[in-house]
Amino acid sequence: MEGRSSRSRHVPSRNQKEVALRQTGIGRLPSWLQWGFVAGLSVLTTVPLEIAGLPAALLIGQMLAGIAVALAGSTIRLPRLFFFFVQVVLALMIASIVSKDFVGTFLDNWLLILLVVTSVIGMSTLSGWLITRTGILPGTTAIWGSSAGAASTMMIMAEAYGADARLVAFMQYLRVVFVASFATLVAHFGGHDGASVPPHAWFAPVPMLPLAAMLAIGVVAGLIGQRLRVPAGAFLVPFALASVLNSSGTVTIELPDWLLVIAFTLLGWNIGLGFSRAILMHARRALVPTILSILALIGFSGLLAGSLILLLGIDPLTAYLATSPGGLDSIAVIAASSNVDIAFVMTLQTARLILVTIIGPWLARFVADRA
């Protein structure tokens, strides 16, 4: 008994191992210094992308810096309050761009839109089921992790089913990184780059009183969306309200470029810092099948985009961004940085998010019970 208890005291638990991993590398440094590393590396990763003219370079560059710092052992994470701010600002940005045809786009093509959205959801669920059947991941983890959206809901459902919520989060973050990176490359090499804003124009004067009023409206709408548990309520409710106000001419939304730069930066960091060395070590067995399933989903979405091009005659990048399997905020940034039909992109992306939130948990639970 004495020998066994002695040895057991020296066997590190899973939490102890994760703490040890977090305390290596730059994780041993103070938080403010870790943030300094993220900021400095962001400059190095973003400037070349800006010079190359990549759309959403301010998002992708920060995302790459966040991933690098996270894998180097960083322990910092973006506070939820800051991410809430990012969602509100992005909602106002997209609302200032979309035309009055946003609702009309859905009404004119509702059947095709629903077919496309349900096809993406079905394909992601099939991928999760196939990975589950291989036994590579424990239990029903792959089914929840493969969902094309509603990440927070899927993590809650995963825990209720005894699945590994950390692996679910890893799969969701990895999908966002791949989708955002592919979409940016397609936009760049497809010749759809938007007009880049030189740094000296970031601080062009903007009327501060209307800006403060619009931000206040967006914050209140976002809080209401969260309170009512609307899917992605911090984004969708301010977006819907600001779109109505902007398209009706009640208000004119004008956001300064420096505010958008801050929002893009924080969004990129939020995605990148979601990775960690501990999670990567924990998910190493799932890495290859997860990447293959993501590539299959992206390829399938590309085929759906081709069908939209043939049936509706829209441009390829608009179709590709509209069918891309999330995340909504990163696709919105890429669409706003490219010459595309943003109203069409946001119509399909919003429909996918709402539908996957409504039927996604039920569908994943149905498949998990039979896996």
Side-chain angles (χ1 to χ4, degrees):
M1 291 289 292
E2 176 79 14
R4 281 200 300 270
S5 61
S6 245
R7 284 193 299 271
S8 65
R9 284 198 298 266
H10 292 288
V11 176
S13 67
R14 184 173 69 182
N15 289 336
Q16 289 173 328
K17 290 179 181 178
E18 290 183 357
V19 169
L21 282 170
R22 288 198 298 267
Q23 290 177 342
T24 60
I26 67 172
R28 293 173 293 186
L29 300 175
S31 295
W32 67 268
L33 198 51
Q34 294 183 48
W35 282 113
F37 269 106
V38 176
L41 187 57
S42 295
V43 174
L44 298 177
T45 54
T46 304
V47 170
L49 298 180
E50 278 285 336
I51 294 174
L54 254 68
L58 290 169
L59 167 68
I60 302 300
Q62 324 294 355
M63 183 179 71
L64 294 176
I67 291 174
V69 171
L71 296 183
S74 171
T75 58
I76 55 175
R77 294 292 181 271
L78 190 72
R80 290 187 177 182
L81 178 63
F82 285 82
F83 185 57
F84 172 83
F85 163 79
V86 169
Q87 291 177 295
V88 170
V89 172
L90 293 181
L92 297 179
M93 177 194 71
I94 298 299
S96 69
I97 299 173
V98 297
S99 65
K100 299 178 182 179
D101 298 330
F102 182 77
V103 176
T105 299
F106 179 80
L107 295 177
D108 292 342
N109 306 284
W110 66 271
L111 181 57
L112 183 59
I113 288 174
L114 291 180
L115 286 174
V116 169
V117 169
T118 53
S119 296
V120 173
I121 296 173
M123 181 63 179
S124 64
T125 305
L126 176 62
S127 298
W129 180 80
L130 291 174
I131 297 176
T132 299
R133 297 297 292 177
T134 64
I136 295 175
L137 293 180
T140 58
T141 299
I143 294 174
W144 312 105
S146 297
S147 171
S152 57
T153 303
M154 292 303 169
M155 281 187 277
I156 294 172
M157 296 293 293
E159 286 186 311
Y161 262 66
D164 194 324
R166 292 173 302 165
L167 285 178
V168 173
F170 171 77
M171 294 175 73
Q172 291 283 345
Y173 271 116
L174 194 63
R175 174 178 53 82
V176 171
V177 169
F178 268 78
V179 169
S181 301
F182 268 79
T184 299
L185 292 175
V186 170
H188 176 63
F189 291 107
H192 284 261
D193 294 354
S196 60
V197 179
H200 64 78
W202 291 350
F203 301 99
V206 171
M208 294 306 295
L209 188 58
L211 172 63
M214 201 64 242
L215 286 175
I217 292 173
V219 167
V220 171
L223 291 173
I224 292 173
Q226 287 188 333
R227 184 72 176 176
L228 296 178
R229 299 185 181 276
V230 176
F235 179 92
L236 288 182
V237 174
F239 168 68
L241 177 60
S243 295
V244 172
L245 294 175
N246 186 65
S247 61
S248 65
T250 305
V251 298
T252 300
I253 302 174
E254 186 177 356
L255 301 177
D257 290 315
W258 58 262
L259 184 62
L260 298 180
V261 169
I262 293 174
F264 293 177
T265 298
L266 294 179
L267 176 59
W269 285 349
N270 185 67
I271 296 172
L273 293 172
F275 293 87
S276 71
R277 190 183 300 178
I279 291 179
L280 189 62
M281 292 296 292
H282 183 63
R284 61 187 183 277
R285 289 185 64 240
L287 185 60
V288 173
T290 299
I291 290 176
L292 291 177
S293 67
I294 291 171
L295 293 177
L297 184 59
I298 292 175
F300 180 73
S301 298
L303 294 177
L304 292 176
S307 67
L308 291 180
I309 295 169
L310 293 176
L311 294 173
L312 301 181
I314 59 178
D315 72 273
L317 183 59
T318 295
Y320 182 78
L321 292 178
T323 57
S324 290
L328 177 64
D329 43 17
S330 56
I331 292 298
V333 171
I334 296 168
S337 305
S338 310
N339 296 317
V340 298
D341 184 347
I342 296 180
F344 189 85
V345 172
M346 294 306 298
T347 299
L348 263 77
Q349 287 290 332
T350 302
R352 178 186 58 80
L353 177 63
I354 293 174
L355 197 59
V356 78
T357 303
I358 294 173
I359 72 170
W362 172 84
L363 183 61
R365 185 168 59 245
F366 178 82
V367 175
D369 288 339
R370 290 157 178 79

